[in-house]
Amino acid sequence: SDPVSNATIFLSSAQVFLGQKIFNSTGDFYQVVTPGTMASSEPTHKYGTVQSGTAAMKYLGTRATATATVNTW
């Protein structure tokens, strides 16, 4: 499924629920696999599942970026 839909930005020490999707300041997306309270610092891992406070977050991916160049000859 699309990791961007219904994702919310990371909030320090916030309560999170099972299946909730969050993203950090660099555009990495995560899904809660163990509900609980987030740690004070945002998740930054790029693979697998990592504990964040009492919650556990599974890495989903990073927001894609691109630059378009248009030639007008």
Side-chain angles (χ1 to χ4, degrees):
S1 69
D2 179 5
V4 178
S5 66
N6 299 319
T8 57
I9 192 151
F10 168 81
L11 295 173
S12 176
S13 304
Q15 290 290 119
V16 291
F17 57 87
L18 184 64
Q20 182 176 350
K21 296 175 188 172
I22 67 164
F23 60 95
N24 65 16
S25 61
T26 60
D28 298 321
F29 287 83
Y30 303 90
Q31 185 168 29
V32 177
V33 294
T34 303
T37 303
M38 295 295 294
S40 59
S41 58
E42 66 184 15
T44 58
H45 63 284
K46 298 284 189 182
Y47 61 90
T49 301
V50 172
Q51 196 77 19
S52 175
T54 62
M57 308 300 299
K58 175 183 167 187
Y59 176 72
L60 296 177
T62 301
R63 183 183 308 269
T65 59
T67 302
T69 302
V70 178
N71 291 321
T72 55
W73 299 326

